[in-house]
Amino acid sequence: MARTPRTPADLARRFGARAAERAGERGEGAAIVSHGDAFARQTYRLPRDQARETARDWFARYPKAAYMTRVESWRVLDDGLIEFTMRRLPTAD
């Protein structure tokens, strides 16, 4: 029986997929995005003030120096909402 190698990236993808399924089941407004690397990403579509608050919360919870947290991309949608993707490492090892 062959064992599947378990690298940190493999584990992050597997656990990220499970979290996305749970978020979808709960009907949350954020989506977890997998790009096949070791980073955890979450995309939001929020009004400007809530978007700022959410990004600040990410930086408070996951400090940039430990988790390499950053706003990966953002844009203003036609309805005035801000769509942005936050990126961080899953752990601060």
Side-chain angles (χ1 to χ4, degrees):
M1 183 185 303
R3 286 188 62 181
T4 305
R6 291 191 175 150
T7 65
D10 295 332
L11 294 172
R13 276 192 295 276
R14 191 171 73 203
F15 290 120
R18 287 183 189 162
E21 289 171 10
R22 288 191 304 271
E25 290 168 2
R26 290 190 304 263
E28 294 177 356
I32 296 174
V33 182
S34 175
H35 291 280
D37 59 12
F39 288 99
R41 292 174 174 84
Q42 203 159 359
T43 300
Y44 298 89
R45 288 178 191 90
L46 299 169
R48 186 176 303 268
D49 291 336
Q50 287 180 337
R52 284 183 182 143
E53 186 177 324
T54 300
R56 285 182 184 131
D57 181 49
W58 263 66
F59 285 111
R61 236 185 310 159
Y62 309 108
K64 187 174 187 174
Y67 291 90
M68 296 175 60
T69 303
R70 66 177 277 203
V71 177
E72 188 169 63
S73 64
W74 69 276
R75 66 184 179 138
V76 180
L77 301 175
D78 291 335
D79 58 2
L81 294 178
I82 307 297
E83 179 182 76
F84 63 104
T85 300
M86 296 297 299
R87 182 187 89 173
R88 67 175 175 86
L89 288 173
T91 63
D93 291 344

